[in-house]
Amino acid sequence: MAPKTTKPTKTTQPMPPVLSTRALNRATLDRQLLLRPAPLTAEQAVHHLVGLQAQNTKPPYYALAARLDGFRPEDLSGLMESRRVARIVSLRSTVHTHTAADAVPLRRLVQDGAIDRELRMFGKGLAGVDLDRLTALTAAEVDERPRTPKELRERLLQEWPDADPQALGIAARCLLPMVQVTPRGLWGRSGQVALARATSWFGGPESASAPVSDRPADLDETVLRYLAAFGPATVKDMQTWCGLTRLRPAFERLRPRLLVFRDEQGTELFDLPDAPRPDADTPAPPRLLPEFDNLLLSHADRTRVVPAAHRTRTWTGNQAHRTFLVDGFLAGIWHLDEGKERTTLTIEPFTRLTKARRDALTAEAERTLRLLAPAGLPYDIRYGDPQEAV
């Protein structure tokens, strides 16, 4: 009698474990140095966070004050003056503060994302403009001395008088990696935007920075660094963070080295095996964040930090507000009135706070003001409605 044959059974892969929204929140806050003051230097923190959003000059200081143990504004200003960090257009084609080791490689990595898309948006205003020639002229101008955007536009208009001036300026910053030189961005000082070629600035005689590479950052290594600072995360999350698209192949290459989870909607999340994933009930102290903080801008799905009911409340028109976290989630906005005789910090919660949470938030506001308010100047902390404790 012939032996009985059986059809091979299809093996099914076990479903990845689910991370709740609170678990995602706590993991991200830990990576973002927001669960407890981190014992890092300012330079180490900028590197770990893969840059700080710097659309305005003060946000990087408030971002570090919320994250670091014993941070002083002079710490970051000193790094800028010694050219160990600088302000440069990079992620999402917006200005970020990066370390000297990261600035140029990261800029080159993300070049064909939002930066090139921005350049194409202004293509009609560049009709007849030789972009290679424009890049060479821009380099020659800023190598002679740092130039303001207005000075660059005026020089480029001499070459292409029929082009759109704004388009010429956008093209210059998109085609040539340039940093905003000091005193722009220094704490307690002012200065208009003046641009220098990034490689020249970091490699100048005053620089104490690491060698600057013209090569793009390694994509796979950048994925790992993103997960270390923002994970667990999806492919779309990282694409939102950096402005690139089609990153799925990089994640697939790295899949054997990563853990895979699901969120509560079943979406696949990637993470580093040894990255912290605290318990969902881990306490999360209040934190005051600057406008444009990358915590709120670096995921396609922001519900791990931003409750759906509040997702439109951090902006008024084109104006982004400073925000604060309570229990790890976006809970309101805050304003700072820096008068000559007094500094006033106004907190506007989205919902009423318990007395305990209000007291903790007030203590965090006081800590922030002690670090960043002008020395010797009195300050007030006020609450807007709703402000009554319950």
Side-chain angles (χ1 to χ4, degrees):
M1 186 174 181
K4 186 177 180 179
T5 60
T6 59
K7 293 182 179 180
T9 59
K10 184 183 291 186
T11 59
T12 59
Q13 295 292 328
M15 291 293 288
V18 174
L19 292 176
S20 69
T21 299
R22 283 187 67 86
L24 274 176
N25 174 272
R26 292 321 195 243
T28 306
L29 292 180
D30 204 334
R31 320 288 172 89
Q32 282 288 298
L33 315 178
L34 289 166
L35 278 186
R36 65 195 66 84
L40 301 178
T41 67
E43 187 172 13
Q44 289 170 336
V46 174
H47 174 79
H48 168 74
L49 297 167
V50 205
L52 301 172
Q53 235 285 353
Q55 288 284 87
N56 297 331
T57 57
K58 289 186 177 180
Y61 293 91
Y62 284 95
L64 292 178
R67 290 168 165 89
L68 300 186
D69 184 18
F71 172 73
R72 300 176 307 149
E74 295 81 4
D75 299 339
L76 183 57
S77 277
L79 292 173
M80 296 186 71
E81 289 187 295
S82 63
R83 305 190 187 186
R84 298 188 69 87
V85 306
R87 300 161 55 83
I88 184 172
V89 173
S90 60
L91 308 170
R92 306 184 297 276
S93 196
T94 59
V95 180
H96 279 69
T97 294
H98 287 295
T99 65
D102 279 344
V104 177
L106 274 176
R107 162 61 188 256
R108 294 198 184 283
L109 175 68
V110 303
Q111 178 70 40
D112 66 352
I115 296 173
D116 280 354
R117 289 196 295 274
E118 184 179 27
L119 178 61
R120 289 193 293 271
M121 286 174 55
F122 288 85
K124 290 184 178 180
L126 298 170
V129 175
D130 181 333
L131 295 183
D132 289 337
R133 172 68 175 156
L134 184 148
T135 305
L137 278 175
T138 301
E141 288 295 307
V142 299
D143 283 350
E144 181 177 297
R145 64 173 176 82
R147 304 284 183 175
T148 67
K150 181 175 182 291
E151 289 175 325
L152 280 180
R153 288 194 300 270
E154 290 174 347
R155 173 63 184 91
L156 295 173
L157 277 170
Q158 293 175 17
E159 193 80 8
W160 296 284
D162 296 329
D164 176 65
Q166 182 185 13
L168 289 173
I170 293 294
R173 81 165 202 169
C174 286
L175 292 168
L176 185 70
M178 295 182 286
V179 300
Q180 296 183 5
V181 305
T182 53
R184 178 74 173 176
L186 297 182
W187 187 256
R189 297 173 61 182
S190 62
Q192 62 182 331
V193 174
L195 303 169
R197 195 201 303 232
T199 49
S200 300
W201 180 256
F202 287 123
E206 300 90 345
S207 175
S209 66
V212 177
S213 171
D214 278 324
R215 296 190 301 274
D218 179 80
L219 177 57
D220 289 7
E221 180 63 27
T222 305
V223 171
L224 299 177
R225 289 186 62 190
Y226 170 75
L227 292 176
F230 295 94
T234 68
V235 176
K236 286 185 178 180
D237 287 334
M238 181 171 175
Q239 291 177 168
T240 297
W241 168 73
C242 67
L244 291 170
T245 58
R246 298 183 294 278
L247 294 185
R248 170 64 66 175
F251 279 80
E252 293 302 329
R253 283 194 303 272
L254 292 166
R255 185 182 286 269
R257 299 171 56 183
L258 300 175
L259 296 181
V260 179
F261 299 93
R262 289 178 297 146
D263 64 17
E264 292 175 328
Q265 287 71 47
T267 305
E268 188 177 54
L269 298 159
F270 294 92
D271 203 10
L272 306 177
D274 57 351
R277 286 177 291 277
D279 187 88
D281 293 327
T282 301
R287 292 287 183 258
L288 271 64
L289 301 177
E291 65 272 31
F292 306 115
D293 194 282
N294 270 348
L295 174 69
L296 306 182
L297 299 176
S298 300
H299 299 89
D301 180 357
R302 300 175 184 176
T303 55
R304 68 179 66 197
V305 178
V306 182
H310 301 331
R311 65 183 182 86
T312 62
R313 301 186 66 177
T314 62
W315 295 79
T316 301
N318 292 326
Q319 176 64 46
H321 298 299
R322 299 180 177 107
T323 62
F324 65 84
L325 309 178
V326 171
D327 188 34
F329 291 89
L330 175 69
I333 61 177
W334 60 282
H335 309 278
L336 199 63
D337 180 11
E338 298 178 278
K340 293 182 179 180
E341 299 181 355
R342 194 172 207 88
T343 297
T344 302
L345 191 155
T346 303
I347 295 171
E348 296 185 6
F350 293 151
T351 59
R352 293 190 179 186
L353 303 173
T354 65
K355 184 178 185 305
R357 287 182 170 178
R358 177 167 164 161
D359 289 346
L361 183 57
T362 300
E364 179 66 8
E366 289 178 340
R367 187 188 71 84
T368 301
L369 288 170
R370 285 195 300 271
L371 287 173
L372 300 177
L377 198 66
Y379 58 79
D380 294 319
I381 298 172
R382 299 176 180 174
Y383 281 80
D385 292 333
Q387 63 179 25
E388 298 84 2
V390 297

